Amino acid sequence: MPADVPGSRSERTEGAARPGGVASAPEGGPSQAVDSVLDALDPDRDRPANVIETHGLGLSFGSKPVLSSIDMQFGRGTITALIGPTGSGKSTFLRSLNRMNDKVVGFRHEGDATLDGRSIWDPGTDLLDLRRRVGMLFQRPNPFPMSIRDNVVAGVRAHRIAKGKQLDVVAEQRLRKVGLWDAVKDRLHDTPFRLSGGQQQLLCLARALAVGPDVLLLDEPTSSLDPISTEYIEAMLAELVPALTLIVVTHNLGQARRVSHRTMFFYDGQLVEQGPTEDLFERPTNLQTERYVMGRFG
Amino acid sequence: MATLEGAADQQSAAPGRHVELRRPPRLARMAGVLRAGETGAWKWGARVAVLLPFAALAFVVAVLAVKAYSAVEVNGTGFFTGAAWKIGSTYAATTRTDGVAHPVGSSYGAWPLIAGTLQTSAIAVIIALPISIGCAFALTERLPRWVSRPLGFAIELLAGVPSVVLGLWGVLTFGPALSKTLYPFIADHLPNVPVLSFFKGTVGHGEGLLTGSLVLTLMIVPIITATTADLFRQVPSLSKEGGEALGMTDFEVANRITLRWVRSGIIGATVLGLGRALGETMALVLTVGAIFQLAPNVYSPMSTIAAAIATQLDSSLTDGTGFAVASIAELALVLAVISVFVNLVARWIVHHTSRLGGPVGRGT
């Protein structure tokens, strides 16, 4: 597994900027033709460049406002990091994007969030399909109490994407994708709870990937893992773009710098500053941002 | 010692005061000696405590076995197959079989009682289990707190209602009411196929197998509900959220995740309820009609082992040879064996279903 995430960052940024991942085609006539053919093949060409947008999104629980008027665009195939001190509202923001907050008593929202141009709260939006398309990885591994193989295909089964023998194929494919196949191929029917924390989190990643999401929300995905597993998962995230769009909440500033293309800094329910990760860390325009990324408070 | 040092620390923290550590007073020194003995006392106390239940069980079974010995010898396998329970003539001369004295014409066949015990318990558990899981689920996951708290409290109160009260209500009100409403409906509408045909036929007046089973159901629902609700509360919310985030419906999350977490625990809870149902006496004495027969249908009067022991002991004491009491003891022994057997089977099931489960509900 490549551990050279920092070095390859700028290259990936470029690749991600052009959906389809054709990063460095040489100049000249034939290559332009190739480009146009590739563009025609690009499955995303008819879709908006921003997979998720929020327009004046405000959230509150009861009478307590948690976030106010967030405007943000998440470009297709990019990784966005959400940073900020505890209680700044970044997790709440993240969990709203697949409507995980809806059932919290007293939850209200104003403004809007769109997925491919369509409001996620639109009455015509199927909540279950929204969650299939906007997957989630949590701060601790949360395997289901079923076999490793059944864990991977749990969502596939629920959405009736595949059945019978196909499930085995899906399971193997996704486990290979996250690099877990060799470790678990002989115990697919065993409990997942004897896997290490890092392996369990990879299993959850395979499970989330199995239903074919467009976007993956990651809520401090490595906060409970050891450094080696963390490094591995970060490298894994780098491989998921540009096919997927990732939004990562993290308390680990180094992680935000290493993996993300853009960074959003939340403070006290406000989106204080957002921009390309390098700019935000090197040349923050806001004093709070500067204090935070310099580690003066947290 | 620690407390002395702690006190000294506190005092020395006060400015300008110096306190010397003194030798602890005599009482404290004696306490110190006792403390040294604590470990041993604790260890042995625990060993004795853990042995007590085993000793009690062994003692009870041994006494029952001794009491029942003559009956086991004479009744033989007929005890498990025969259907007649007769003390015989206590006025005529006694006779002897295999050297054991008993009244002329005595005959002890417990098959209807054994079957009745299993029938009432099985019906009660089969009805109570889905109700309890539903209740527990509603209490922990669906209802707002201000509803679920009083409701949970009410369900627990139901567990505290004395069985004789429930039995009396069952035979005076509940049974007669059902025999005029629900029973005819079930009897008329169920198809005449095996198993279900047991629910057809004359419905009687509300004293019988089904009435007894339903009263039993009311008694074990609180037990299974309370245990299951506790299990549901322990299911990690992150696991359930994982299911929701994957796009599962509430039902799928409940069915595929929440229930799987607690599956083995629910079996344990069911066994608790089953144990109660197998041994329940007074409610059944009052509601099942207390007739020693294999119920021809589910509405017929019948009896169970526990009910039979309670109702028969009095007349059995009139048997001067003591054989009737020995047979009652044999009944009790059979009931004890059934209970232990059911527990063992349940443990075996728990062991074999918890393989994939997490830590919740294990070892119940």
Side-chain angles (χ1 to χ4, degrees):
Chain A
M1 194 41 47
D4 58 338
V5 189
S8 64
R9 185 167 144 265
S10 61
E11 187 186 306
R12 280 188 300 103
T13 312
E14 248 175 70
R18 195 193 316 202
V22 200
S24 52
E27 292 172 86
S31 79
Q32 263 175 6
V34 169
D35 269 1
S36 65
V37 169
L38 283 177
D39 278 349
L41 288 174
D42 183 358
D44 290 333
R45 74 182 192 287
D46 293 332
R47 307 165 90 178
N50 295 323
V51 56
I52 288 184
E53 294 184 6
T54 66
H55 304 283
L57 184 63
L59 306 169
S60 55
F61 295 120
S63 57
K64 183 168 157 265
V66 185
L67 284 175
S68 49
S69 53
I70 310 286
D71 286 298
M72 182 68 194
Q73 294 83 40
F74 296 94
R76 196 176 297 279
T78 62
I79 303 182
T80 308
L82 275 53
I83 60 170
T86 305
S88 58
K90 56 193 188 307
S91 274
T92 308
F93 176 75
L94 187 83
R95 293 167 62 91
S96 300
L97 297 180
N98 65 347
R99 290 177 55 185
M100 289 294 282
N101 285 330
D102 278 24
K103 64 164 189 174
V104 178
V105 180
F107 169 78
R108 278 179 303 132
H109 70 95
E110 51 198 52
D112 204 1
T114 61
L115 175 67
D116 279 345
R118 183 167 180 187
S119 168
I120 61 171
W121 283 290
D122 187 300
T125 299
D126 176 6
L127 176 63
L128 303 180
D129 193 55
L130 171 76
R131 287 177 176 165
R132 183 190 67 74
R133 292 178 58 194
V134 184
M136 195 160 191
L137 199 61
F138 293 80
Q139 59 268 59
R140 273 175 288 124
N142 56 349
F144 300 147
M146 48 183 86
S147 72
I148 290 173
R149 177 248 192 203
D150 285 348
N151 257 282
V152 180
V153 297
V156 178
R157 269 202 177 123
H159 290 285
R160 291 167 185 81
I161 296 169
K163 59 181 181 182
K165 287 267 177 231
Q166 294 170 306
L167 292 173
D168 291 322
V169 178
V170 172
E172 176 172 352
Q173 216 174 34
R174 301 303 160 169
L175 285 170
R176 277 193 192 283
K177 175 142 183 114
V178 299
L180 203 55
W181 175 252
D182 289 330
V184 303
K185 66 181 178 208
D186 295 327
R187 43 176 170 159
L188 287 174
H189 298 284
D190 283 357
T191 172
F193 296 105
R194 278 196 284 271
L195 298 175
S196 75
Q199 287 175 324
Q200 288 189 27
Q201 191 68 312
L202 284 173
L203 178 66
C204 294
L205 181 62
R207 183 176 74 192
L209 292 176
V211 293
D214 298 327
V215 181
L216 208 52
L217 309 175
L218 303 102
D219 191 359
E220 301 178 43
T222 60
S223 62
S224 69
L225 304 183
D226 61 278
I228 294 177
S229 303
T230 299
E231 193 178 325
Y232 187 92
I233 291 215
E234 284 179 10
M236 182 64 45
L237 299 185
E239 288 187 2
L240 292 178
V241 289
L244 265 72
T245 307
L246 307 185
I247 307 176
V248 190
V249 164
T250 180
H251 273 124
N252 180 339
L253 294 178
Q255 181 170 68
R257 284 189 86 142
R258 286 191 297 271
V259 303
S260 74
H261 308 126
R262 291 187 85 82
T263 297
M264 300 167 75
F265 172 64
F266 283 84
Y267 183 66
D268 202 19
Q270 310 280 340
L271 173 58
V272 175
E273 186 173 353
Q274 64 95 3
T277 297
E278 200 168 320
D279 292 354
L280 191 118
F281 277 93
E282 301 297 336
R283 295 171 289 280
T285 57
N286 183 289
L287 189 66
Q288 286 290 8
T289 315
E290 184 174 351
R291 274 164 41 84
Y292 186 74
V293 301
M294 301 293 276
R296 301 237 175 84
F297 80 108
Chain B
M1 296 297 171
T3 56
L4 272 177
E5 282 167 12
D9 277 351
Q10 273 176 6
Q11 287 178 348
S12 65
R17 276 190 71 185
H18 179 73
V19 174
E20 256 181 60
L21 278 178
R22 277 170 296 125
R23 198 171 143 75
R26 171 180 293 204
L27 209 60
R29 266 182 285 152
M30 283 166 64
V33 174
L34 281 180
R35 274 192 69 204
E38 258 173 26
T39 316
W42 174 242
K43 200 156 69 185
W44 282 103
R47 283 178 189 174
V48 170
V50 85
L51 279 178
L52 268 178
F54 287 109
L57 182 66
F59 184 69
V60 167
V61 171
V63 166
L64 273 181
V66 168
K67 280 264 181 203
Y69 183 75
S70 60
V72 173
E73 209 174 29
V74 173
N75 293 332
T77 54
F79 191 75
F80 299 98
T81 54
W85 189 275
K86 289 192 298 243
I87 290 180
S89 169
T90 47
Y91 301 107
T94 58
T95 178
R96 284 181 175 272
T97 308
D98 298 342
V100 177
H102 61 90
V104 173
S106 72
S107 156
Y108 293 99
W111 168 237
L113 303 175
I114 296 170
T117 301
L118 298 177
Q119 285 169 331
T120 47
S121 303
I123 294 177
V125 165
I126 289 171
I127 300 176
L129 190 58
I131 294 178
S132 305
I133 292 178
C135 275
F137 198 73
L139 287 178
T140 54
E141 309 242 334
R142 283 289 168 274
L143 297 172
R145 235 179 129 69
W146 63 272
V147 181
S148 71
R149 278 186 70 129
L151 212 59
F153 188 60
I155 291 175
E156 273 170 36
L157 276 185
L158 188 57
V161 175
S163 61
V164 67
V165 174
L166 272 180
L168 201 59
W169 169 76
V171 71
L172 294 182
T173 313
F174 188 55
L178 289 180
S179 72
K180 293 190 192 77
T181 51
L182 182 66
Y183 294 174
F185 180 82
I186 303 178
D188 287 348
H189 288 86
L190 279 184
N192 202 0
V193 294
V195 179
L196 289 187
S197 61
F198 194 52
F199 287 78
K200 301 191 78 73
T202 46
V203 298
H205 302 288
E207 266 186 83
L209 170 54
L210 189 54
T211 306
S213 303
L214 290 176
V215 170
L216 268 188
T217 304
L218 282 178
M219 301 175 73
I220 63 177
V221 158
I223 299 174
I224 306 181
T225 301
T227 317
T228 308
D230 280 344
L231 291 168
F232 280 163
R233 285 190 198 100
Q234 293 172 48
V235 173
S237 57
L238 208 57
S239 192
K240 290 183 276 187
E241 281 191 342
E244 285 166 29
L246 217 47
M248 291 185 179
T249 62
D250 284 353
F251 176 76
E252 285 164 344
V253 171
N255 187 31
R256 295 182 191 174
I257 300 174
T258 311
L259 270 182
R260 277 206 211 206
W261 273 107
V262 301
R263 194 164 47 181
S264 56
I266 287 181
I267 294 171
T270 309
V271 172
L272 272 181
L274 189 56
R276 174 80 196 262
L278 286 170
E280 176 50 40
T281 309
M282 209 52 220
L284 290 177
V285 167
L286 291 170
T287 53
V288 294
I291 291 179
F292 286 26
Q293 63 161 354
L294 202 58
N297 73 11
V298 81
Y299 314 104
S300 323
M302 37 75 75
S303 193
T304 69
I305 298 178
I309 292 172
T311 55
Q312 290 305 301
L313 184 61
D314 216 25
S315 52
S316 298
L317 286 170
T318 64
D319 179 355
T321 62
F323 189 70
V325 173
S327 296
I328 293 276
E330 188 177 358
L331 263 188
L333 201 58
V334 169
L335 183 59
V337 169
I338 291 177
S339 298
V340 169
F341 181 73
V342 162
N343 256 291
L344 290 179
V345 168
R347 264 165 208 284
W348 185 83
I349 295 173
V350 168
H351 181 74
H352 283 263
T353 50
S354 61
R355 196 169 56 91
L356 290 176
V360 175
R362 213 176 227 176
T364 316

